[in-house]
Amino acid sequence: MAPRPFWKGYLKLSLVTCPVAMTPATTESEKVRFHTLNRKGGHRVVSQYVDAVSGKPVAEDDEVKGYQRGEDEYVLLEDDEIDAVALESTRTIDIDMFVDADSIGWIWYDKPHYLTPDDPVGEEAFSVIRDAMQSTGTVGISRLVMYRRERAVMLEPRGKGIVLWTLRYGDEVRDPEDYFGKIENAKPDPKLMDMVSTLIDERTRQWTPAMTGDPVQARLLEIIASKKKGKKRPTKAKDKAEQPPSNVINIMDALRKSIGSEAGKRK
């Protein structure tokens, strides 16, 4: 059963408007989660804000946001002051521009959401906007208040629906030139390239979501199941000492051995 939408509003392009619903495209609900308990009584431990100087708990009504501008010096902002600079509407995705679909690098993509029509009458308007983006090779750019922050979002046509991606803020993405710019632009030996290509061919598989499985979570579920049955806590397996990789002096010899090893696995 599909989860209920966490957001409902309107998709708008100029004078064309249609009701839509949005659901996160990913979920962490299946992950093993733990609560912190008091070992002595087995009760849940609760957290609370305390004054850093007095050590006394702070009532919710006395909590206020502050921007630090010096040591122990803050500018206080009330919630209504913060809300005043946000978008007027939090329920309308107004597409104000389009860009080429390939012009936004993957590093700007944050969280994906499924956007679907929320009314049979509005499906035609939704489909027209979706198909027009598909045929022109473009994606829509808008702004929306999500997760208590105003965000730039990208609308990407995908099959019968639209995937809405929240985009990272400009100050969150570091310039790759600061890191990759120091790497020399040397051309590798063609023979080495051929041998590495052979290794890639040998290890190429059809993509499947199973490749992203979480073995740690699977083992945790096994431990939880065994403890429910009253079994003793499993002993921790001894860690094998990880050997640091040896310095490869001859890349050609290392690649020959690697290719030979791959060939042996296939037999």
Side-chain angles (χ1 to χ4, degrees):
M1 183 176 178
R4 295 175 60 185
F6 87 115
W7 182 95
K8 289 189 175 185
Y10 296 89
L11 177 62
K12 182 174 183 291
L13 174 59
S14 189
L15 299 179
V16 180
T17 305
C18 63
V20 289
M22 182 163 49
T23 307
T26 60
T27 178
E28 295 186 353
S29 63
E30 300 302 319
K31 284 188 176 294
V32 175
R33 299 183 184 277
F34 298 101
H35 295 290
T36 301
L37 307 179
N38 183 342
R39 185 189 296 276
K40 294 181 179 179
H43 304 136
R44 289 273 299 273
V45 175
V46 297
S47 60
Q48 61 181 172
Y49 287 107
V50 297
D51 189 293
V53 176
S54 69
K56 296 180 179 180
V58 179
E60 185 175 351
D61 290 342
D62 292 330
E63 296 171 10
V64 63
K65 294 180 176 61
Y67 176 82
Q68 188 170 8
R69 65 177 182 182
E71 187 175 357
D72 296 329
E73 186 179 1
Y74 299 87
V75 176
L76 303 184
L77 292 174
E78 300 295 339
D79 288 342
D80 57 352
E81 293 177 305
I82 297 175
D83 293 340
V85 300
L87 288 174
E88 291 183 5
S89 174
T90 61
R91 292 294 166 187
T92 300
I93 305 169
D94 191 353
I95 308 177
D96 52 11
M97 70 180 75
F98 295 88
V99 300
D100 289 339
D102 297 332
S103 64
I104 303 178
W106 61 270
I107 201 167
W108 293 96
Y109 290 26
D110 185 23
K111 293 181 180 180
H113 305 76
Y114 293 141
L115 194 67
T116 57
D118 194 39
D119 186 326
V121 177
E123 282 192 18
E124 183 177 17
F126 180 91
S127 299
V128 167
I129 295 173
R130 177 200 64 205
D131 292 352
M133 288 192 294
Q134 184 72 55
S135 65
T136 57
T138 59
V139 292
I141 302 296
S142 184
R143 300 196 71 84
L144 186 64
V145 175
M146 296 180 66
Y147 309 112
R148 298 185 178 181
R149 295 189 70 181
E150 182 180 324
R151 292 178 169 273
V153 297
M154 181 190 81
L155 290 89
E156 174 189 22
R158 184 73 62 89
K160 295 180 180 179
I162 293 174
V163 175
L164 181 145
W165 286 88
T166 55
L167 299 178
R168 299 188 189 279
Y169 295 99
D171 57 4
E172 290 181 338
V173 178
R174 292 172 173 160
D175 187 351
E177 189 63 23
D178 293 341
Y179 306 89
F180 302 152
K182 301 175 183 178
I183 302 175
E184 294 185 10
N185 193 23
K187 291 287 185 181
D189 186 327
K191 292 182 180 180
L192 297 179
M193 283 288 292
D194 289 341
M195 297 180 80
V196 172
S197 296
T198 299
L199 275 177
I200 291 174
D201 288 341
E202 295 293 343
R203 297 193 175 201
T204 298
R205 303 288 185 271
Q206 184 70 35
W207 159 255
T208 167
M211 294 177 180
T212 64
D214 186 350
V216 172
Q217 175 156 293
R219 288 195 290 269
L220 280 173
L221 289 172
E222 290 176 5
I223 293 173
I224 292 170
S226 66
K227 289 177 78 71
K228 281 183 178 179
K229 295 177 181 178
K231 295 182 180 180
K232 292 183 178 180
R233 179 167 47 182
T235 56
K236 184 179 180 181
K238 292 183 179 179
D239 293 333
K240 295 181 179 179
E242 185 176 349
Q243 297 295 327
S246 59
N247 292 328
V248 179
I249 299 175
N250 191 313
I251 300 178
M252 187 71 75
D253 288 345
L255 285 172
R256 286 198 183 102
K257 290 179 181 179
S258 297
I259 293 172
S261 174
E262 293 293 325
K265 291 178 183 178
R266 298 198 310 272
K267 293 181 180 179

